[in-house]
Amino acid sequence: MVRTFQKMKNFLVIALVFTAFFVHGQEVKGSVVDGKKIGVPGVKIKNEGTGKLARSSEDGSFSIPAKVNNILVFIMPDFDTLVLIVEASDFEKIRLVILQEHYQDVEGANVIRKRMEGFDVGFLPPIKGVQIYTGTNAVIEMADLSGAKSAANPREIFAKVPGLNIWESDGAGIQVGIGGRGLSPNRTANFNTRQNGYDISADALGYPESYYTPPFEALKSIEIIRGSASLQFGSQFGGLLNFIIKDAPNNTPFEFTSRTTGGIYGYLGTFNRVAGSKNRLFYQAYHQYKRGDGYRENSKFYQHQAFAQLGYYLTENIKLRVEYTHMNYLARQAGGLSDLQFNENSRQSLRNRNWFKVDWNMLAVHYDHEISRKSHFNVRAFGMLSSRQTLGFLGKITQQDPGGDREMLSGNFKNAGVEVRFLQRYDFKRPETKKQIHGAFLVGARYYRGTTTADQGRATDGSDANFMYQNPNDLEGSAYTFPSENIAGFAENILFLGKRMTVNFGMRMESISSGSSGYYKRYSIHPVNQDTLAVYTISDDNSVERFVPLFGVGTSFKTSQRSSMYGNFTQNYRAINFTDIRISNPNIVIDTNIRDEYGYTAEFGFRGITKDFWMYDVAAFYVFYGDKIGLAPKAGTTFKERTNVGDAQNTGIEVFTEFDFLKAFVDSSKHSLSLFVNVAYINARYIRSKEPNYIGKRVEYVSKFIMKSGVKYKFENWSFQVQGSYNSAQFSDASNSVLPSGDAVIGLIPSYLVFDFSARYAFTKFVQLEAGVNNFTNQRYFTRRAAAYPGPGILPSDGISAYLTVQFKIAK
């Protein structure tokens, strides 16, 4: 009896200890939704009793350790703070937490995100974080987007953004070149290009070209902001292009994603990512590797990309995160082709000693402070230490590479900056009507300093990737240093006048200092035997300072709950790039009187969504581009001149619509059959020029008609898409030469029509297959005539190619 009692006593003790441990380790699980029962992501959930912190996931779900009678606080901008007391029943069910929106007339980001679900592209809310979005804006959601993500086919990724012209001379997506509304696609230089809100271009002022593009497999979304709101980010004509890296998951301490892609032409791509969060800490890191033999001869490439992010919530309202990005690649350059060579065999290469090498390193620190429900403060500091080098024979493509010494150009980029933003929401009543008016103003400042060095001289005479100068202390071409400094202040204000109308005003004050210091060499050549008769070293020291005020205004009016009209006007400015105009090129001469570019953009549009099956956006725009810099034949010579060609105006209409035929007539979540059409008409012409024969001519690299259209069918875990992309003919110079020049740098770029197919199947949420065939009609075409590297001459685009991707994803 005693033994039995002792066993029962021991059992009860163990049971009580286990129960106490179990209760202590219990979690409250639930979902946070708004008044429309749409999941709200990113809600802060704090256990006041233990100090534990959690965040709701993309669909609003959450879990947080708790005990009975603990107090849970739910905090989210635009919503009223909610306080709950934990009850015993909360451990037995999924708790539904409903937050009430404070600003009922401001459509929240989660509502817009939910309505865009299935379209892959959408509009941004008026206010998000410390940024105000107005005018023509688009967000590309990457989660379910069809297309070749590993090879980063921009034709598919940007298919639903109207008015974009894309250079397709890189079949592996290493460098993406896009331009909008008649602007040059050259390395996306007409956009203010950013990653997670900070600069990624070589030099934002002196050399705003992007040699780095983040892996599309790592992205959550891509934001394109045009109109008056773009003045928050810079003065560029194209606006903002912002790549948003996926967030670390906030409901698991460990998540691992692995993607492997194989394709023809020796393509292999791998992408591996680890991420997670625990209490206040969150982290992620990824690595991407891709290599390939290339579509053409002499076009092998190897690329590595790595990214690491570590973040911590100092309090429930203060978040600090650090990010490091590295990218390097080595590519053999196949060179350009003449028109005759292209027609004979577009895959051939006449250059086997040309190479291109890039090394990119960026560090960024973000500080976010939600001071109150209405006030938000952000600081982002960033720095970059990077380089790019080109090596080979720069002569015209009609010249055979004679062997011997090669020409080498190297650029080293070192810059740093800090940007501070403060956003304040406010309310007031109009005395005459007593109506409540909501608004928000944003003020910010930016300091940026960059130093670029650009050298050109003779290198080795071999055919390998040996990036070494023969005479590094006395270069045969040029040696320059380009310092730049930028101090800018900006402000934006948005007013919600009732439930239908918004008005916003923006301004930016730019103080820009840029300069150049160095030398270049001029050679006197014998006209018969080509011997060097004399060498002249010409020193150059130049500096320019400007103060540029820019203004913008916009408005929108809701014609219904889900549709609105909008209009915008904004000024633009683009400084001359000293690094462009000082490098010696045997095919080009530089106008010594070249000036900055200036202008403005105006637009008017109508957009909306009908339930969940029809989206549309129609816009008309006008771009005035003063003192536009371009390439034109120099009178009396055989050279091309980089100069201010004149004033141009770009007018056009952009139309995007997507319609889901099944959802329009059948209420089904399993099936979807959608058609999207994206059409742009752009009439870009010179209206003034120092060369009278340029007046009325079309602006170079502008297709009058750009159209992309596709059909997508989804059934449960299956997805199929066929897409077509069309560009009408375009010119490569301001004289509108139809007949090609002998070196193929100038001439017509014919129209082209390319088709792509992609498919995806998810076995479970952990395993997924993707496959596709790009350019499945094997169209032979080109989008670019290069004046220098990676040409000169025609750069053929890739023919038919295929790929298969296997994805595995596990989470603890």
Side-chain angles (χ1 to χ4, degrees):
M1 186 71 178
V2 175
R3 285 185 178 179
T4 303
F5 178 77
Q6 187 66 36
K7 287 181 179 179
M8 290 180 64
K9 182 180 177 181
N10 292 339
F11 175 79
L12 287 173
V13 170
I14 293 172
L16 287 171
V17 171
F18 178 80
T19 302
F21 174 79
F22 179 75
V23 170
H24 177 75
Q26 281 185 307
E27 291 186 334
V28 175
K29 296 183 179 180
S31 183
V32 186
V33 299
D34 63 10
K36 297 181 176 66
K37 300 299 176 67
I38 299 173
V40 184
V43 177
K44 290 184 297 187
I45 306 152
K46 185 182 180 183
N47 188 328
E48 293 285 5
T50 64
K52 295 290 186 181
L53 188 70
R55 292 262 172 173
S56 61
S57 61
E58 277 293 310
D59 60 357
S61 61
F62 71 92
S63 64
I64 185 169
K67 294 186 293 186
V68 174
N69 293 326
N70 278 169
I71 297 175
L72 301 183
V73 182
F74 295 78
I75 306 168
M76 185 68 182
D78 298 337
F79 293 88
D80 291 333
T81 299
L82 182 66
V83 178
L84 294 178
I85 299 176
V86 177
E87 301 175 356
S89 60
D90 290 331
F91 301 111
E92 302 170 0
K93 62 182 180 180
I94 301 298
R95 183 69 185 260
L96 184 67
V97 179
I98 302 175
L99 297 184
Q100 297 298 322
E101 289 184 83
H102 183 75
Y103 292 97
Q104 295 294 336
D105 58 330
V106 182
E107 198 166 43
N110 60 301
V111 177
I112 292 176
R113 176 184 56 83
K114 187 69 176 178
R115 289 177 180 170
M116 303 301 174
E117 196 172 26
F119 288 113
D120 301 327
V121 68
F123 319 129
L124 289 161
I127 303 171
K128 183 181 176 184
V130 287
Q131 296 173 170
I132 294 175
Y133 298 109
T134 55
T136 303
N137 64 61
V139 56
I140 303 170
E141 298 291 350
M142 302 295 292
D144 297 317
L145 190 70
S146 299
K149 291 183 181 178
S150 176
N153 182 5
R155 202 169 53 234
E156 296 177 292
I157 303 300
F158 294 96
K160 297 181 181 180
V161 180
L164 296 185
N165 190 18
I166 301 171
W167 275 359
E168 299 179 16
S169 53
D170 173 12
I174 296 176
Q175 291 182 41
V176 174
I178 62 173
R181 295 180 170 177
L183 304 176
S184 171
N186 185 30
R187 292 198 177 94
T188 320
N190 280 290
F191 281 96
N192 184 308
T193 311
R194 300 190 177 196
Q195 173 182 282
N196 287 353
Y198 54 87
D199 292 57
I200 62 175
S201 57
D203 187 320
L205 296 173
Y207 196 55
E209 299 190 3
S210 297
Y211 290 93
Y212 160 78
T213 302
F216 286 174
E217 294 172 298
L219 297 181
K220 173 186 176 183
S221 60
I222 303 173
E223 297 175 345
I224 297 178
I225 313 299
R226 296 183 281 199
S228 58
S230 65
L231 288 179
Q232 301 168 67
F233 309 101
S235 59
Q236 282 83 351
F237 281 82
L240 171 73
L241 174 65
N242 191 21
F243 296 102
I244 307 295
I245 305 293
K246 290 178 183 176
D247 297 323
N250 47 32
N251 54 3
T252 178
F254 179 78
E255 179 184 272
F256 174 66
T257 304
S258 180
R259 291 170 56 89
T260 302
T261 302
I264 60 176
Y265 314 123
Y267 183 83
L268 172 65
T270 64
F271 176 84
N272 295 282
R273 176 179 182 259
V274 294
S277 60
K278 183 68 174 178
N279 297 329
R280 296 176 181 269
L281 181 72
F282 60 93
Y283 70 94
Q284 66 169 310
Y286 67 72
H287 173 262
Q288 184 197 53
Y289 168 75
K290 54 186 180 183
R291 58 90 54 208
D293 298 327
Y295 174 70
R296 298 175 60 200
E297 301 171 5
N298 300 319
S299 55
K300 285 186 177 182
F301 61 88
Y302 306 87
Q303 184 192 46
H304 289 271
Q305 290 210 46
F307 175 85
Q309 180 190 80
L310 184 64
Y312 190 78
Y313 287 93
L314 301 176
T315 70
E316 64 270 21
N317 295 320
I318 300 176
K319 178 173 64 174
L320 182 70
R321 74 181 193 267
V322 180
E323 298 173 358
Y324 171 70
T325 304
H326 171 74
M327 182 269 288
N328 69 76
Y329 72 84
L330 175 67
R332 200 163 197 160
Q333 302 282 276
L337 296 175
S338 69
D339 291 72
L340 178 61
Q341 293 160 350
F342 174 81
N343 292 329
E344 288 176 346
N345 179 10
S346 61
R347 298 185 65 181
Q348 67 176 306
S349 167
L350 304 178
R351 298 286 185 262
N352 63 1
R353 304 195 305 147
N354 292 12
W355 295 87
F356 190 63
K357 180 182 178 182
V358 172
D359 187 87
W360 225 250
N361 297 278
M362 299 182 295
L363 182 68
V365 179
H366 302 259
Y367 175 86
D368 284 285
H369 186 185
E370 294 176 15
I371 300 171
S372 69
R373 179 174 51 83
K374 293 184 178 182
S375 305
H376 199 147
F377 178 72
N378 169 266
V379 180
R380 58 191 71 160
F382 53 93
M384 186 180 71
L385 189 62
S386 304
S387 65
R388 68 100 175 92
Q389 296 170 305
T390 60
L391 174 68
F393 175 61
L394 268 179
K396 298 179 180 180
I397 199 59
T398 51
Q399 295 177 259
Q400 184 178 355
D401 184 349
D405 295 344
R406 291 176 290 179
E407 198 82 7
M408 178 172 154
L409 286 73
S410 64
N412 293 283
F413 314 106
K414 181 170 62 175
N415 59 61
V418 61
E419 194 168 288
V420 180
R421 292 167 170 265
F422 174 75
L423 185 139
Q424 177 69 51
R425 301 170 187 260
Y426 58 85
D427 315 273
F428 65 89
K429 288 185 179 179
R430 297 174 64 178
E432 64 276 14
T433 62
K434 305 295 185 181
K435 287 186 177 180
Q436 189 87 355
I437 293 179
H438 306 306
F441 72 84
L442 167 74
V443 292
R446 168 186 169 95
Y447 177 77
Y448 177 89
R449 187 174 185 87
T451 302
T452 296
T453 60
D455 300 327
Q456 183 172 0
R458 291 180 184 173
T460 60
D461 60 357
S463 59
D464 59 341
N466 184 358
F467 294 90
M468 297 289 291
Y469 285 113
Q470 290 189 5
N471 302 296
N473 297 322
D474 186 20
L475 296 176
E476 295 81 5
S478 60
Y480 274 91
T481 299
F482 303 99
S484 62
E485 186 179 45
N486 175 222
I487 302 173
F490 52 88
E492 185 86 16
N493 186 84
I494 184 169
L495 278 175
F496 298 91
L497 306 177
K499 294 187 177 182
R500 286 181 174 266
M501 190 170 184
T502 66
V503 178
N504 65 282
F505 306 92
M507 62 179 293
R508 186 178 187 88
M509 299 295 171
E510 293 265 12
S511 174
I512 303 172
S513 300
S514 55
S516 62
S517 177
Y519 70 87
Y520 68 96
K521 292 185 178 180
R522 181 183 297 166
Y523 293 81
S524 177
I525 306 298
H526 193 283
V528 178
N529 57 22
Q530 301 298 307
D531 286 344
T532 300
L533 302 178
V535 180
Y536 305 95
T537 299
I538 298 144
S539 297
D540 182 25
D541 196 348
N542 189 14
S543 63
V544 181
E545 294 186 3
R546 315 90 152 165
F547 177 76
V548 183
L550 301 169
F551 300 92
V553 62
T555 184
S556 69
F557 180 80
K558 281 192 172 184
T559 54
S560 69
Q561 184 64 29
R562 299 186 180 184
S563 62
S564 61
M565 295 187 297
Y566 59 90
N568 278 276
F569 172 88
T570 182
Q571 292 179 291
N572 305 110
Y573 182 83
R574 187 167 184 265
I576 56 175
N577 302 330
F578 284 114
T579 48
D580 255 352
I581 65 175
R582 287 301 179 193
I583 294 177
S584 302
N585 186 313
N587 308 305
I588 299 173
V589 294
I590 305 298
D591 183 356
T592 55
N593 296 316
I594 198 167
R595 301 180 300 277
D596 294 343
E597 301 168 310
Y598 68 97
Y600 60 86
T601 301
E603 63 182 357
F604 177 78
F606 179 67
R607 67 187 177 199
I609 305 172
T610 300
K611 294 186 177 178
D612 61 348
F613 61 82
W614 186 25
M615 177 189 292
Y616 51 87
D617 190 356
V618 181
F621 65 86
Y622 176 88
V623 178
F624 173 77
Y625 207 132
D627 282 338
K628 178 174 171 52
I629 296 174
L631 198 64
K634 183 171 177 61
T637 73
T638 59
F639 295 105
K640 269 68 68 179
E641 183 181 41
R642 185 166 175 79
T643 182
N644 297 100
V645 175
D647 296 342
Q649 65 177 15
N650 305 351
T651 57
I653 297 176
E654 300 170 337
V655 179
F656 170 75
T657 183
E658 186 167 6
F659 190 88
D660 194 313
F661 294 92
L662 293 183
K663 288 185 178 179
F665 302 106
V666 180
D667 185 12
S668 172
S669 59
K670 292 185 178 181
H671 294 269
S672 173
L673 178 63
S674 60
L675 167 71
F676 80 86
V677 178
N678 172 2
V679 180
Y681 168 78
I682 306 172
N683 184 16
R685 295 184 180 274
Y686 287 101
I687 58 175
R688 184 197 64 81
S689 176
K690 59 185 180 183
E691 297 292 337
N693 63 319
Y694 292 169
I695 298 176
K697 295 292 180 67
R698 287 167 52 186
V699 174
E700 57 272 30
Y701 287 106
V702 181
S703 294
K704 264 195 174 183
F705 293 96
I706 300 175
M707 179 174 137
K708 293 179 176 63
S709 182
V711 177
K712 187 173 186 177
Y713 174 67
K714 292 192 292 186
F715 170 67
E716 293 184 340
N717 296 334
W718 288 95
S719 173
F720 304 92
Q721 177 169 301
V722 177
Q723 173 187 309
S725 304
Y726 171 79
N727 273 52
S728 63
Q730 50 192 305
F731 297 102
S732 60
D733 77 306
S735 68
N736 290 186
S737 300
V738 175
L739 295 177
S741 58
D743 56 7
V745 170
I746 286 177
L748 187 72
I749 299 174
S751 63
Y752 57 88
L753 175 62
V754 185
F755 289 95
D756 302 303
F757 167 77
S758 60
R760 181 174 63 247
Y761 178 72
F763 289 93
T764 65
K765 64 179 181 179
F766 305 113
V767 182
Q768 183 172 289
L769 287 180
E770 299 172 17
V773 181
N774 294 124
N775 190 6
F776 61 74
T777 59
N778 201 23
Q779 174 78 8
R780 187 172 63 177
Y781 68 106
F782 62 93
T783 63
R784 180 184 178 190
R785 293 176 182 268
Y789 277 109
I794 291 173
L795 299 179
S797 298
D798 282 10
I800 186 171
S801 62
Y803 64 91
L804 174 66
T805 299
V806 182
Q807 174 180 302
F808 296 94
K809 185 176 182 179
I810 59 174
K812 182 178 179 181

